[in-house]
């Protein structure tokens, strides 16, 4: 119980949040790491997944290769990257020490749910809707942008949602190579036997993960509502405008 009281006291202390190395600063650093890694994973993985889903070939290989990332511990990958000549442990702007290595490890960690959900989402567009779009004279590109992509968005959003929360929680490993983020609060606390501090840092990470999950869930519900429009447009025989 004393450890929990220490954690509560640490969370209530203004000095824990402000100043150089305060939790507000570290929280911002971890958000930057998370968002950057997620954007990189989207830029790399989503076009591949959606393109293969539209073409209907090569997806099985891509999905299985991306899923290998699930079996490789992110910390082990980070440990390997920092021992190499590049990216090594060099500082990288606001991403701190071993910034490139941390971003690469987190980006690779984010790829599996993005690639898997993106590919499956396009492949699961109903065949009757595809046939209706073809019957209306749509080209392959038109079918993708006006039919497949809108219908695939809820499942794509689900993959992004999963990747976002996973990357946020995993970004604490940056502290293990003296990088930025809330992991510093956790590792410093346990290293110095200040367990209340370590638990306080873990609580903040968990609370922010819950908030990110709620925001992403709202975006996913919005995507699900938008899904009805292209389906109704195609099946009622009206060519989409725009």
């Amino acid at each position: 119980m004393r450890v929990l009281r220490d954690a509560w006291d640490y969370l209530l202390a203004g000095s824990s949040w402000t100043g150089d190395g305060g939790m507000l600063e570290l929280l911002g650093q971890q958000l930057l790491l998370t968002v950057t890694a997620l954007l990189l994973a989207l830029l790399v993985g989503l076009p591949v997944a959606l393109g293969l889903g539209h073409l209907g070939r090569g997806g099985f290989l891509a999905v299985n290769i991306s899923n290998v990332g699930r079996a490789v511990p992110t910390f082990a990958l980070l440990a390997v990257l920092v021992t190499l000549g590049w990216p090594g442990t060099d500082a990288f702007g606001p991403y701190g020490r071993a910034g490139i290595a941390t971003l690469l490890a987190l980006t690779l960690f984010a790829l599996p749910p993005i690639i898997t959900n993106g590919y499956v989402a396009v492949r699961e567009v109903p065949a009757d809707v595809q046939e209706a779009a073809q019957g209306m004279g749509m080209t392959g590109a038109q079918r993708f942008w006006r039919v497949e992509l809108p219908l695939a968005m809820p499942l794509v959003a689900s993959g992004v949602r999963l990747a976002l929360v996973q990357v946020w929680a995993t970004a604490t490993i940056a502290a293990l190579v003296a990088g930025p983020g809330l992991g510093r609060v956790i590792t410093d606390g346990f290293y110095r036997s200040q367990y209340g501090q370590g638990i306080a840092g873990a609580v903040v990470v968990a609370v922010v993960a819950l908030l990110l999950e709620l925001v992403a869930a709202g975006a996913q519900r919005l995507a699900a509502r938008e899904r009805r429009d292209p389906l109704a447009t195609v099946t009622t025989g009206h060519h989409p405008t725009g």
Side-chain angles (χ1 to χ4, degrees):
M1 292 299 296
R2 179 181 176 181
V3 172
L4 295 179
R5 285 197 302 270
D6 290 344
W8 182 249
D9 291 341
Y10 189 87
L11 289 171
L12 292 181
S15 58
S16 302
W17 295 89
T18 58
D20 187 28
M23 283 202 291
L24 285 177
E25 179 184 353
L26 297 176
L27 190 151
Q29 292 172 353
Q30 187 159 329
L31 280 174
L32 179 62
L33 270 176
T34 299
V35 172
T36 304
L38 183 64
L39 289 176
L40 289 173
L42 287 171
L43 287 173
V44 172
L46 201 55
V48 172
L50 296 177
L52 292 176
H54 173 70
L55 296 173
R57 52 181 177 269
F60 178 81
L61 180 62
V63 168
N64 279 278
I65 290 176
S66 72
N67 284 340
V68 170
R70 300 181 191 272
V72 179
T74 307
F75 175 61
L77 178 60
L78 178 59
V80 171
L81 290 173
V82 297
T83 60
L84 300 176
W86 188 91
T89 59
D90 292 341
F92 182 56
Y95 302 100
R97 186 175 187 270
I100 295 179
T102 304
L103 283 174
L104 286 175
L106 292 175
T107 298
L108 292 173
F109 180 66
L111 282 174
I114 291 173
I115 292 179
T116 300
N117 282 42
Y119 174 77
V120 172
V122 177
R123 295 306 301 156
E124 286 188 349
V125 172
D128 58 339
V129 176
Q130 294 274 21
E131 292 172 0
Q134 287 179 335
M136 292 163 53
M138 288 189 183
T139 64
Q142 287 174 327
R143 288 201 311 274
F144 174 76
W145 290 107
R146 298 179 177 179
V147 179
E148 293 173 351
L149 184 59
L151 293 176
M153 280 308 297
L155 191 53
V156 171
S158 175
V160 176
R161 170 185 173 184
L162 179 59
L164 171 63
V165 177
Q166 287 182 341
V167 170
W168 163 260
T170 308
T172 54
I173 66 171
L176 299 177
V177 291
L182 288 166
R184 283 190 175 185
V185 178
I186 301 172
T187 56
D188 288 351
F190 284 102
Y191 178 75
R192 298 172 181 174
S193 298
Q194 297 174 357
Y195 301 115
Q197 173 184 329
I199 291 174
V203 167
V204 174
V205 172
V207 170
V208 176
L210 178 60
L211 293 175
L212 292 174
E213 169 70 16
L214 292 174
V215 171
Q220 185 178 350
R221 284 195 295 271
L222 179 62
R225 283 203 300 270
E226 293 296 323
R227 173 177 177 158
R228 292 194 296 266
D229 295 336
L231 181 60
T233 301
V234 173
T235 55
T236 53
H238 297 289
H239 198 287
T241 59

